[in-house]
Amino acid sequence: KKYSNDHEWIEVSQDGKTGTVGITHYAAKSLGDVVYVELPSPDMDVNVGDSIGAVESVKSASDIMTPVSGVVVEANNALEESPATINKSPEDEGWIAKIQLTEKAEEEIKDLLNAEEYLKFIEE
């Protein structure tokens, strides 16, 4: 997994064609109890840093930014019924979207933080 400074993560599939995106444990904990998730629509073209949805909690709302460019191929519709899944499992069952990666995305992934770098970032 790779992490952004905006507290999103991406896990690239074994074939390197798609990436699963979600928010980190840190972001989920900071938000508090998630009550609503706005998901991206399939076939949505996205560029790194674009908002692909939002997470609303009892305390605040936060945009979900894509850490890479590509095309949304799937959204985690289970979150509409059960938004609290993001609190329980933000880096597994609480994923937000799957994105078909562009060639540009391969370069963008190199700019993201690894787990160790991300931990250091959130400690600062």
Side-chain angles (χ1 to χ4, degrees), residues 1-9 23-28 91 112-124:
K1 275 188 186 154
K2 294 289 215 152
Y3 300 86
S4 75
N5 292 350
D6 294 322
H7 309 291
E8 281 89 18
W9 57 267
I23 67 170
T24 65
H25 285 283
Y26 177 85
E91 294 194 32
L112 297 172
L113 308 172
N114 64 31
E116 193 178 310
E117 292 165 333
Y118 180 71
L119 285 173
K120 196 183 245 180
F121 171 74
I122 59 177
E123 285 170 6
E124 291 172 356

Side-chain angles (χ1 to χ4, degrees), residues 11-119:
E11 189 165 21
V12 178
S13 62
Q14 288 197 333
D15 65 8
K17 293 186 173 156
T18 59
T20 303
V21 174
I23 67 170
T24 65
H25 285 283
Y26 177 85
K29 191 175 172 191
S30 299
L31 280 167
D33 294 335
V34 175
V35 293
Y36 176 75
V37 181
E38 179 188 322
L39 295 168
S41 357
D43 297 329
M44 181 174 157
D45 283 317
V46 295
N47 289 303
V48 69
D50 285 355
S51 172
I52 59 167
V55 177
E56 291 180 23
S57 71
V58 289
K59 314 198 267 197
S60 67
S62 184
D63 283 339
I64 302 160
M65 311 300 212
T66 177
V68 295
S69 300
V71 178
V72 174
V73 290
E74 185 181 349
N76 187 354
N77 293 323
L79 296 177
E80 290 178 331
E81 297 289 318
S82 183
T85 303
I86 286 185
N87 295 112
K88 292 182 204 124
S89 183
E91 294 194 32
D92 189 24
E93 293 170 32
W95 60 274
I96 306 290
K98 295 188 189 256
I99 296 175
Q100 184 177 337
L101 305 175
T102 61
E103 280 183 36
K104 196 163 63 166
E106 292 173 27
E107 287 303 309
E108 293 162 351
I109 289 168
K110 292 176 186 170
D111 294 335
L112 297 172
L113 308 172
N114 64 31
E116 193 178 310
E117 292 165 333
Y118 180 71
L119 285 173

